[in-house]
Structures are given as C-alpha cells and as structure tokens.
Amino acid sequence: MASSSAKPYCCSSLNPAPSNAIARRAALSALPAAKPRRFSHGLAAVAANPRASRSAVLRPVRACLAAPRRPEYVPDRIDDPNYVRIFDTTLRDGEQSPGATMTSAEKLVVARQLARLGVDIIEAGFPASSPDDLDAVRSIAIEVGNTPVGEDGHVPVICGLSRCNKRDIDAAWEAVRHARKPRIHTFIATSEIHMQHKLRKTPDQVVAIAREMVAYARSLGCPDVEFSPEDAGRSNREFLYHILEEVIKAGATTLNIPDTVGYTLPHEFGKLIADIKANTPGIENAIISTHCQNDLGLASANTLAGAYAGARQLEVTINGIGERAGNASLEEVVMAIKCRRELLGGLHTGINSQHITMTSKMVQEHSGLHVQPHKAIVGANAFAHESGIHQDGMLKFKGTYEIISPDDIGLTRANEFGIVLGKLSGRHAVRTKLVEAWI
C-alpha cells in the first residue's frame, strides 16, 4: 500500500469542554499543588491557569467524516467503485460455532439489529439444514427483508446458503423469495484435496455441477446468485479462473472467494483476488467477494488485503464468531476501513458504526459466546487504560493512546478517559480519580 500523510488517529476535530469542567477546576485548585513540570497540560493546567482552559481541555473526537451515500443495489455491479458491500454471516457461519445455536426468535431479533447496523447482505441461515432453519430464514425475509430502516430507508438483501444440488437450492429459494431483495448462495469445493477426498469427483464434474446449479437457481426466478468455490485458497489458479468463468456465464452475480481453512497470508490472499480479477473472463459482470476464516489469526487482515486488491463484498461476522477459530470480524474490518480509508484507496461501507457495541452485546447474549476482554474494538479492555504512562497521555490528549473514539462504536464508558486504577497507575490518574470522587 502506498505511503500517505495519514493522521495519527482516525479523524481530527474538537469537541467542547465537558460540562463539569468548572467543578473540576474548583476541585483541582483545592488539592495540594503538584510539581508544575509534571502537570503542565490537561486538567492540572486548567486548574493552574483558567484562561488556558479551552486549549487544555479540548479533546479530539476521532469520528471520521461521513462517507458517501450507499449506492443503489444492483446484484452484479456497484456504481461507486469505492463502495464495499458488507455481507454478514453471523446467522449462518457464526451459528455453526459449537454451542452457538440460536432459536428462530433470537435469529429474527439479531437480524433486525443487523439491518439497523447497515449491513448490505444478511446471510440468514442454511434453509436445507432443517425445517426450523428454513422457517427462521423465511421469517427474516418476510420482515427484515421488506422493512426500510435508517435515514436512507435501507432494506438489506436476505440470503440463504445451499450446496450445489436442487434440493438445497429449492429450500433456499423458498426461504428467501419473500424478501424485496433475495439471494441464493451456492457452493462446491474446488481444491484438489476436497474434490478427491470429500466429493470424490473430477474437476470436470465439479465444473458441470456448478454451472448447472447456478443456472437452476436463476431459472427459479432469483435475480441474485452468489457462487463460492469452497477452499479457493488452496485451489489451482487456472481451475479457479475456469470454473468462475463458467458460473458467470450461467448467471452468477457475485463470486465469493473463501479461504476456507484460514491458510493464506495477507499478501497471498490479496494476490489471489488480484489474479482472479485480472484473469477470469467475464469478471466485469460480477462482484468479487471474500470469506476468510481465522485459523491463523489472519482473517481480518486477509479480508482487508482482498478489498485493497479489488474485492467489493466482504463476508464477516459480529465478534468474529464462526467455525473453528471463527471468521473475519465485522467490527475490525469496518473500523479499519473507516480509520485507514486514505490508505485503502478511499474505500467505504454503509455501516453505521455507532450500532457496533449494541450488536456485539446482542450476539454475545443470544449465541452464548462471549468475547475475550482484549478483543479489538468490542472487548471490555479495548478502551480502558491502567498503565500510568498511558493514563497520563490520555488525560493530556486522548489521541496519544486511542485511535478510535468509543463514541464511534456507540460505547459509553464509566469515565471520560477510560481510567482504571491498578498497581501500575500513576499520580496523574489517582489525582483525577480523587477529583471525580470529590465532585
């Protein structure tokens, strides 16, 4: 990625001094004076010199500038070349996490929240897996798939997963056809190890099945068909180009490239997307998508590499839940794009990031899968500071140790600076906590 004069945090603007600043000044002035050289900025500077209060107390709000509007949805093209569709598979791949099964009612509640969050596509389930899941996907298609939300009246695409067989595709179509914007997502494995040991089919047979089933899905009246060559990350490149060309001819509108076992490194996955974009005949008639598993902890990095290389749909889950080690995390991918937009070629999404915290907590509650405290963006410690050096920096200027404002993700923390007192805390933090207790 090209170098840039990027800002040291997401965006720069200033917010007004806190409403209780006067009370803090009075409280601070009543405390024993600290050495001037140690408290020459921040709250202590305000106490020492009220005339300097404006410059000392103003804090940067790192909420990024508003991105361009979401373009009108057309299955096989995006009129804004920098717009990236967010495909959320929390209710399908995320639910495949052991112990994460949700009831139909819980899935509907989460789907409503995903729509508020602004995801472009909700993969609501695997309808052929059970009558209950078919009913759940159908309910989501009927309600969420027809209800405008937000200022722009956004209605998400409702998608159902299917294997490449007529029974699965029929079930998926029955479930999603009630949505305003329905999609069938069908897949078949393309790596040698999968074709030989799992499918026990030749490459020619796999191509024929993929071509026939994509055409069948379109013949049912579904205008939006996504095709995934499972285990694309370990598949032969020339074979990938060939099978993707054939499914485009058959009517596929989105080509999803899965790193099914989380095997590739970011530069490898980025090159895979670039190579597919450069070498697949007819690729201009479809959207390239990514689906990265987290087996080596690289799912979000691989997803971003894919976006930078030309993918314009990114498959993610809330909190990164999913099979084995999980998937690319929606909150990580979205906030990385929002924060480093200038280094990603101006990419942007339609996500309302202020719904991230609520959505994360809701998925934790309904799935039973709780995130580790140090989880990026949504972990309990993501905006907390215990080290004295960090606390001192935060109290002087938040941009020293935070690149994202908690407000950006809809998080309200217990105190303005995220200070947590512990054995490594310094005098500046202790002094500030005393002031808070006093007032």
Side-chain angles (χ1 to χ4, degrees), residues 398-422:
K398 290 179 185 175
T400 53
Y401 287 102
E402 285 186 353
I403 60 168
I404 299 168
S405 167
D407 294 339
D408 288 350
I409 62 164
L411 174 66
T412 301
R413 53 187 172 190
N415 62 77
E416 182 187 354
F417 301 97
I419 301 300
V420 178
L421 292 184

Side-chain angles (χ1 to χ4, degrees), residues 78-134:
I78 302 175
D79 291 333
D80 181 346
N82 291 329
Y83 186 79
V84 179
R85 290 174 179 167
I86 297 298
F87 177 114
D88 184 274
T89 183
T90 301
L91 298 177
R92 198 278 300 171
D93 198 319
E95 197 187 20
Q96 291 175 202
S97 303
T101 301
M102 294 181 242
T103 67
S104 296
E106 289 171 330
K107 291 183 71 166
L108 181 57
V109 169
V110 172
R112 291 178 187 136
Q113 181 61 26
L114 292 173
R116 295 185 197 103
L117 180 63
V119 303
D120 298 275
I121 302 100
I122 298 173
E123 188 167 50
F126 190 173
S129 64
S130 71
D132 184 66
D133 207 46
L134 191 154

Side-chain angles (χ1 to χ4, degrees), residues 178-194:
H178 307 279
R180 185 182 299 183
K181 294 181 281 191
R183 178 187 290 191
I184 294 173
H185 177 192
T186 191
F187 71 96
I188 192 168
T190 55
S191 66
E192 183 177 353
I193 190 170
H194 275 244

Side-chain angles (χ1 to χ4, degrees), residues 57-78:
V57 177
L58 289 179
R59 304 296 180 188
V61 176
R62 291 162 293 279
C64 295
L65 297 176
R69 295 186 63 180
R70 186 195 313 266
E72 181 180 356
Y73 184 79
V74 180
D76 59 355
R77 75 171 196 272
I78 302 175

Side-chain angles (χ1 to χ4, degrees), residues 226-357:
E226 176 173 337
F227 173 75
S228 289
E230 186 185 10
D231 204 19
R234 297 189 294 175
S235 297
N236 175 271
R237 284 282 209 283
E238 295 300 325
F239 181 59
L240 272 181
Y241 306 152
H242 175 52
I243 194 170
L244 294 176
E245 176 186 8
E246 292 302 308
V247 296
I248 291 171
K249 291 178 182 177
T253 52
T254 298
L255 305 177
N256 181 48
I257 310 303
D259 183 21
T260 302
V261 292
Y263 183 68
T264 63
L265 300 179
H267 74 276
E268 289 180 297
F269 192 74
K271 190 173 189 308
L272 172 61
I273 297 299
D275 287 349
I276 287 171
K277 185 177 180 180
N279 295 291
T280 302
I283 197 67
E284 66 278 2
N285 299 315
I287 304 299
I288 302 175
S289 171
T290 68
H291 181 108
C292 299
Q293 299 291 141
N294 204 38
D295 297 71
L296 294 177
L298 296 170
S300 293
N302 285 342
T303 298
L304 292 168
Y308 188 73
R312 288 299 178 265
Q313 177 181 284
L314 308 179
E315 302 202 355
V316 292
T317 62
I318 301 298
N319 301 334
I321 65 174
E323 289 273 12
R324 302 183 312 279
N327 289 273
S329 163
L330 180 146
E331 58 274 11
E332 294 173 13
V333 170
V334 166
M335 293 310 293
I337 290 173
K338 188 172 184 179
C339 277
R340 307 313 307 274
R341 183 177 171 189
E342 70 281 358
L343 290 182
L344 290 170
L347 299 182
H348 64 99
T349 74
I351 295 297
N352 182 345
S353 64
Q354 291 188 337
H355 284 282
I356 284 176
T357 295

